[in-house]
């Protein structure tokens, strides 16, 4: 395994770990990016502006964010800022990386990093022989007719405009890539970028009159194929994209049908046909394979998968009629299958532990290119006849969620989509150990001072706990593939109820090294809350119906509320009552026993009408409400006359909040980054 010796530490490339004896730290993507930049620029004073340009890629961040990132990297090295051995602060100028750096290897691979201040080592004398051996092997491979070997690792940003990038489509005849860009001001807008070798111009927005674009599928010459709305009609469209006038023309062909819920789609130009993964509205997340055409054809194709597997991605290649299908399980496994649409022949090509995202055919249609689930910052290639994957790109931001083949037959175009979420107190609280990753979904402890939260600082989503004046510590590690959406803490602080990918709930003890019980759903779990130490409520959407279900600690369903209720919660200061909200955001109060004995016979009390909310908490007769659209925190006092407004604050809350003893903690979006990249193979 390749590593870089940095002072007394070793940085291992494959695991992003810093190791010094028994001290082991996994760097988050932002820390890793900063460290790589320091390694490439040793003993040079680096200013804050340069760090902002390189690490945040031009996004505006505060000095506090830069200070925090450097401090976290120092902490990983156990470096004393007063007597630095690694990162030296140069007053009023910036930082200097002063540690010795040397490349090493535990296996015969050539590192892509350049040595700085090298010391004599055995690898120095072995390197010429290694290069000669590799050259001889490459010559033999080339002689016997295999494809030439390309070296990947470098990636180049193409978009350089603010917003969230999605669905890149290569316009090969014009050396352009089209993509959707999402901003608060414009919503989803269509952009084009020139990927010509000598072109440094910025991307240009394309006018899309009468359109609302949802997904780009592919191209056919000068025509773009996409899903969305045209003059408020939902469907699939083929329209000319005029690069001279930068305008999307009226559709030349259209298929007006949006009866299904579509998860992934691809256009096959040779067949003039669309293939899509979709499901009927009453079947949540059970995707089938469909074949569509602009003549009106919509046919479901038969596939064979075990009940625990679901189709997640599909791709087509101009060199073959065979489709590529990727399937996932809730427990984090992936399969890649090939599928013949004419014969319905389905062949398993490879299986992999961990979720493969955005999987597409490689250029030779002999393998697959995908982004990994852990860490989400890396993109790989794996041939069907090989047991291991090859790294194509490693960035500081998450690679999500779309990959396309470059028209040069070698490189790949992909999108990144990453956010920095940090925890903040509404009022003064103890110092929070924020990382430069996604720290979110905070839950305040009830029996002592401390906070549980979800973070991606280790490269995958894990749960952490922080006490005052201490660093955050991870709970027993969860599988790397998990997608932790939210969680809630039992009143006695013994159990965490964790939402995994909106399709499973985990009940995890806070003080034991075990995963605990698991509950799987065909539908979507969109809210969870503890009602007491022994009961919790789940708001679930199944078969187009939203229901509130009540479970005990053994994950056994003990009650289900009548249709029409949206959420259930309790106020710890009034344990004899349960509070319910309905589809109209009206708040009601019922005797607690009525949720088990039947609400039909109970007499509930309507308290008042709430505004639409994303999160809701109750404490000591006060409703804390996070508005659905504007991320404002609104407080209402429950009185005999109804709901009395107390305050409203625009706090920019993002990804969860909690309240205990009137102290509010919340996740706040500190920075956002997204770009379109292309690999640069050598």
């Amino acid at each position: 395994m390749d590593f870089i010796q940095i002072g007394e530490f070793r940085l291992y490339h494959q695991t992003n770990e810093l190791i010094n004896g028994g001290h082991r730290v996994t760097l988050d993507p932002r820390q890793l990016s900063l460290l790589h930049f320091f390694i490439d620029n040793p003993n040079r004073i680096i200013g804050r502006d340069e760090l902002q340009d390189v690490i945040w890629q031009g996004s505006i961040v505060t000095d506090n964010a830069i200070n925090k990132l450097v401090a976290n990297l120092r902490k990983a090295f156990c470096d004393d800022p007063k007597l630095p051995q690694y990162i030296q602060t140069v007053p009023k100028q910036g930082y200097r990386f002063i540690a010795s750096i040397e490349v090493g290897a535990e296996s015969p691979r050539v590192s892509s990093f350049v040595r700085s201040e090298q010391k004599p080592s055995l690898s120095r004398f072995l390197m010429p022989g290694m290069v000669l051996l590799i050259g001889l092997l490459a010559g033999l491979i080339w002689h016997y007719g295999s494809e030439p070997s390309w070296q990947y690792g470098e990636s180049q940003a193409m978009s350089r405009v603010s917003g969230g990038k999605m669905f890149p489509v290569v316009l090969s005849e014009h050396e352009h890539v089209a993509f959707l860009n999402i901003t608060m001001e414009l919503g989803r807008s269509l952009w084009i970028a020139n990927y010509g070798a000598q072109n440094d111009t910025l991307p240009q927005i394309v006018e899309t009159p009468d359109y609302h674009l949802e997904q780009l599928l592919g191209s056919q010459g000068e025509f773009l194929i996409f899903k969305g709305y045209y003059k408020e009609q939902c469907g699939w469209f083929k329209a000319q994209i005029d690069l001279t006038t930068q305008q999307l023309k009226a559709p030349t062909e259209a298929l007006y049908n949006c009866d299904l819920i579509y998860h992934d789609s691809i256009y096959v130009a040779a067949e003039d046909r669309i293939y899509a993964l979709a499901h009927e509205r009453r079947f949540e997340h059970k995707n089938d394979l469909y074949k569509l055409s602009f003549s009106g054809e919509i046919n479901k194709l038969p596939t064979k998968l075990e009940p625990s597997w679901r189709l997640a991605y599909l791709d087509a290649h101009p060199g073959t009629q065979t489709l590529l299908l990727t399937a996932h399980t809730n427990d984090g496994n992936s399969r890649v299958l090939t599928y013949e649409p004419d014969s319905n022949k389905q062949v398993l090509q490879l299986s992999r532990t961990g979720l493969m995202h955005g999987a597409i055919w490689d250029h030779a249609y002999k393998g697959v290119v995908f982004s990994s689930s852990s860490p989400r910052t890396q993109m790989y290639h794996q041939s069907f006849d090989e047991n291991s994957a090859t790294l194509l790109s490693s960035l500081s931001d998450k690679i999500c969620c779309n990959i396309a083949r470059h028209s040069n037959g070698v490189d790949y175009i992909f999108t990144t989509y990453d956010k920095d979420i940090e925890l903040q107190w509404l009022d003064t609280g103890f110092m929070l150990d924020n990382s430069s990753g996604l720290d979110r979904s905070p839950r305040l402890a009830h029996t002592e001072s401390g906070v549980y939260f979800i973070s991606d600082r280790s490269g995958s989503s894990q749960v952490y706990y922080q006490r005052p004046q201490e660093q955050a510590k991870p709970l027993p590690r969860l599988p790397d593939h998990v997608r932790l959406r939210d969680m809630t803490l039992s009143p006695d602080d013994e159990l965490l109820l964790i939402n995994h990918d909106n399709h499973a709930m985990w009940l995890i003890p806070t003080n034991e090294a075990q995963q605990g019980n698991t509950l799987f759903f065909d539908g979507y779990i969109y809210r969870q809350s503890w009602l007491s130490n022994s009961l919790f409520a789940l708001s679930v959407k199944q078969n187009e119906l939203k229901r509130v279900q009540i479970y005990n600690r053994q994950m056994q369903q003990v009650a289900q509320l009548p249709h029409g209720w949206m959420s259930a919660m309790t106020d710890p200061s009034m344990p004899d009552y349960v509070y319910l909200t309905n589809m109209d955001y009206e708040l009601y109060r019922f005797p607690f026993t009525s949720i088990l004995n039947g609400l039909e016979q109970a007499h509930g009390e309507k308290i008042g009408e709430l505004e639409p909310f994303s999160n809701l908490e109750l404490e000591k007769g006060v409703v804390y409400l996070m508005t659905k659209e504007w991320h404002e925190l609104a407080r209402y006092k429950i009185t005999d006359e109804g709901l009395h407004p107390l305050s409203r604050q625009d706090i920019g809350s993002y990804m969860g909040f909690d309240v205990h003893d009137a102290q509010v903690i919340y996740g706040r979006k500190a920075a956002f980054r997204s770009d379109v990249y292309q690999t640069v193979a050598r």
Side-chain angles (χ1 to χ4, degrees), residues 10 32 76 107 137 144 148 162 169 181 302 328 333 406 411 416 441 464 484 531 540 585 596 609 626 655:
R10 286 186 176 185
L32 190 67
S107 62
L137 290 173
Y144 285 103
S162 62
V169 166
N181 191 45
H328 291 166
N333 295 309
H406 199 292
D411 288 304
T416 62
S441 301
Y464 291 77
L484 304 185
L531 304 180
V540 181
Y585 297 99
L596 301 177
E609 295 183 6
M626 196 63 64
M655 290 192 170

Side-chain angles (χ1 to χ4, degrees), residues 90-237:
V90 182
K92 299 183 179 180
Q93 296 186 58
Y95 303 96
R96 180 192 286 122
F97 198 66
I98 58 175
S100 61
I101 304 168
E102 185 176 350
V103 174
E106 295 176 354
S107 62
R109 286 179 53 195
V110 181
S111 173
S112 61
F113 290 93
V114 180
R115 295 189 183 188
S116 173
E117 298 185 359
Q118 293 184 357
K119 299 178 181 179
S121 66
L122 182 61
S123 61
R124 176 179 176 182
F125 303 101
L126 291 177
M127 192 60 67
M130 288 289 297
V131 172
L132 178 61
L133 177 60
I134 292 172
L136 288 172
L137 290 173
L140 288 171
I141 293 172
W142 176 262
H143 176 75
Y144 285 103
S146 297
E147 295 183 356
S149 176
W150 292 92
Q151 296 297 318
Y152 291 88
E154 181 181 350
S155 298
Q156 177 183 347
M158 301 172 62
S159 52
R160 304 190 301 277
V161 293
S162 62
K165 319 300 186 299
M166 301 178 70
F167 307 117
V169 166
V170 174
L171 309 174
S172 56
E173 294 183 5
H174 304 282
E175 289 193 325
H176 277 72
V177 59
F179 60 91
L180 295 185
N181 191 45
I182 307 173
T183 61
M184 289 287 292
E185 296 79 11
L186 300 177
R188 296 194 178 200
S189 55
L190 177 62
W191 289 69
I192 51 173
N194 190 321
Y195 58 75
Q198 304 300 321
N199 196 299
D200 294 325
T201 59
L202 290 173
Q204 303 294 318
I205 193 169
V206 177
E207 294 183 16
T208 55
D210 298 320
Y211 284 110
H212 171 72
L213 279 63
E214 291 186 340
Q215 180 184 357
L216 305 186
L217 276 66
S219 64
Q220 186 183 53
E222 60 185 6
F223 290 89
L224 190 66
I225 292 81
F226 53 94
K227 181 179 179 294
Y229 289 80
Y230 179 68
K231 294 185 176 179
E232 300 183 358
Q233 286 187 280
C234 182
W236 313 79
F237 304 96

Side-chain angles (χ1 to χ4, degrees), residues 552-571:
N552 60 23
R553 285 193 178 208
Q554 289 71 45
M555 292 293 215
Q556 299 167 329
Q557 183 176 330
V558 296
Q560 178 169 275
L561 304 190
H563 173 64
W565 297 110
M566 187 170 64
S567 65
M569 69 207 75
T570 55
D571 182 340

Side-chain angles (χ1 to χ4, degrees), residues 21 48 50 62 86 121 131 203 294 307 309 331 411 437 456 484 530 555 562 599 637 639 676:
R48 293 175 179 273
E50 187 174 359
T62 63
Y86 295 87
S121 66
V131 172
F294 288 109
W309 290 86
D331 57 356
D411 288 304
D456 290 1
L484 304 185
W530 285 92
M555 292 293 215
L599 287 180
K637 179 67 176 177
T639 68
V676 180

Side-chain angles (χ1 to χ4, degrees), residues 320-337:
T320 177
Q321 293 182 338
T322 304
L323 299 178
L324 186 79
L325 301 177
T326 305
H328 291 166
T329 63
N330 277 332
D331 57 356
N333 295 309
S334 298
R335 287 179 181 174
V336 175
L337 311 102

Side-chain angles (χ1 to χ4, degrees), residues 669-680:
K669 183 165 67 175
F672 171 77
R673 303 163 305 280
S674 178
D675 218 324
V676 180
Y677 280 87
Q678 61 178 343
T679 62
V680 183

